[in-house]
Amino acid sequence: HDKLNKVLDKQKDFFKKAEPFPHLVIDNFLNEKDAKIISDVFPSDNSINWNIHGSGPNADRKNFRGIKLQCSDENEFPDEIKRLMNEFNSQGFLYFLQKLTDVEYIFGDPYYNGCGLHSTGRGGRLMIHADVNRYPYPSLADQYLNCILYVSENWKDHWGGELELWDKNVKKCIKSIEPKFNRLVIFRTNRNAFHGHPLPIECPDEARRNSLATYF
């Protein structure tokens, strides 16, 4: 919490003014020991009951063999990851988001609808898109923020998988964010917040781009 307060002191203005839409990158989010534990216990592609997702609509109609996996069932989460996900929905983290955005009331989704654990292998990609409202009761709330923590400890820059933030006309990538280990990315979501990682990942077959995602 002390670290989050320091982030607010130094980067709150950057979040609001960031282009193409409000976002913030926090490196070394967890202490080194805890970050390594999360990486070590992250489930493999065949160790839990994953949901299988595609890459989204492909304008070039190419088939990519990399598969995006997603799990929202906290009963499948290792205990260490379950505790961390609970922290993302905690009072302290919600107060941090409230102060960062100047939004009076922000709350998480303990159902992890569409978020939770994400894992993408070689050849995988996610086409540029704007999120739909994933809150389980959309008449009550809008999806407002995404938080993504990258947890692949030995991810190499040349493997790709950068999160790209595009302009509202989907003509140009404005910001490219590498999925570095222990990096937290927070960004505003609405109908103009276009993002994704559209280039196929070029990691070895045994490696995967793993992340924890929470929506607010």
Side-chain angles (χ1 to χ4, degrees), residues 66 103 108 152:
V103 172
S152 295

Side-chain angles (χ1 to χ4, degrees), residues 40 54 56 63 68 75 78 80 85 93-94 102 109 119 144-145 151 164 180 192 197 214:
D40 289 344
N63 292 318
K68 180 179 179 180
N75 292 314
E80 297 87 349
M85 296 297 281
F93 194 72
L94 293 177
D102 285 330
D109 174 15
S119 180
Y144 185 76
L145 291 175
V151 297
E164 296 185 2
K180 288 185 176 180
N192 293 320
H197 59 95
T214 49

Side-chain angles (χ1 to χ4, degrees), residues 150 157 159-164 176-179 196-199 209:
Y150 295 107
D157 292 348
W159 291 350
E162 294 88 350
L163 173 66
E164 296 185 2
S176 181
I177 303 171
E178 296 175 4
H197 59 95
L199 299 178
R209 178 186 186 270

Side-chain angles (χ1 to χ4, degrees), residues 176-187:
S176 181
I177 303 171
E178 296 175 4
K180 288 185 176 180
F181 174 58
N182 200 19
R183 167 175 279 179
L184 183 73
V185 181
I186 303 172
F187 61 94

Side-chain angles (χ1 to χ4, degrees), residues 56-76:
N58 295 327
D60 52 20
R61 298 185 180 179
K62 292 181 179 179
N63 292 318
F64 286 82
R65 58 193 178 93
I67 295 176
K68 180 179 179 180
L69 305 176
Q70 181 267 336
C71 180
S72 298
D73 184 357
E74 70 172 19
N75 292 314
E76 300 278 0

Side-chain angles (χ1 to χ4, degrees), residues 97-147:
L97 295 178
Q98 182 186 65
K99 294 174 183 177
L100 179 69
T101 61
D102 285 330
V103 172
E104 183 177 1
Y105 189 67
I106 289 178
F107 57 92
D109 174 15
Y111 296 99
Y112 305 125
N113 190 42
C115 57
L117 311 187
H118 289 164
S119 180
T120 304
R122 178 178 176 84
R125 63 178 184 173
L126 180 62
M127 301 307 292
I128 300 301
H129 66 285
D131 286 351
V132 298
N133 183 13
R134 295 189 182 94
Y135 190 67
Y137 305 97
S139 61
L140 298 180
D142 294 318
Q143 185 175 332
Y144 185 76
L145 291 175
N146 284 8
C147 292

Side-chain angles (χ1 to χ4, degrees), residues 37-52 67-71 76-78 81 117-121 151-152 205-212:
I37 289 173
I38 296 300
S39 178
D40 289 344
V41 302
F42 194 95
S44 65
D45 57 351
N46 58 8
S47 62
I48 65 172
N49 185 27
W50 291 99
N51 296 313
I52 297 176
I67 295 176
K68 180 179 179 180
L69 305 176
Q70 181 267 336
C71 180
E76 300 278 0
F77 298 176
I81 290 179
L117 311 187
H118 289 164
S119 180
T120 304
V151 297
S152 295
D205 287 335
E206 65 273 14
R208 299 189 68 85
R209 178 186 186 270
N210 298 329
S211 61
L212 309 182

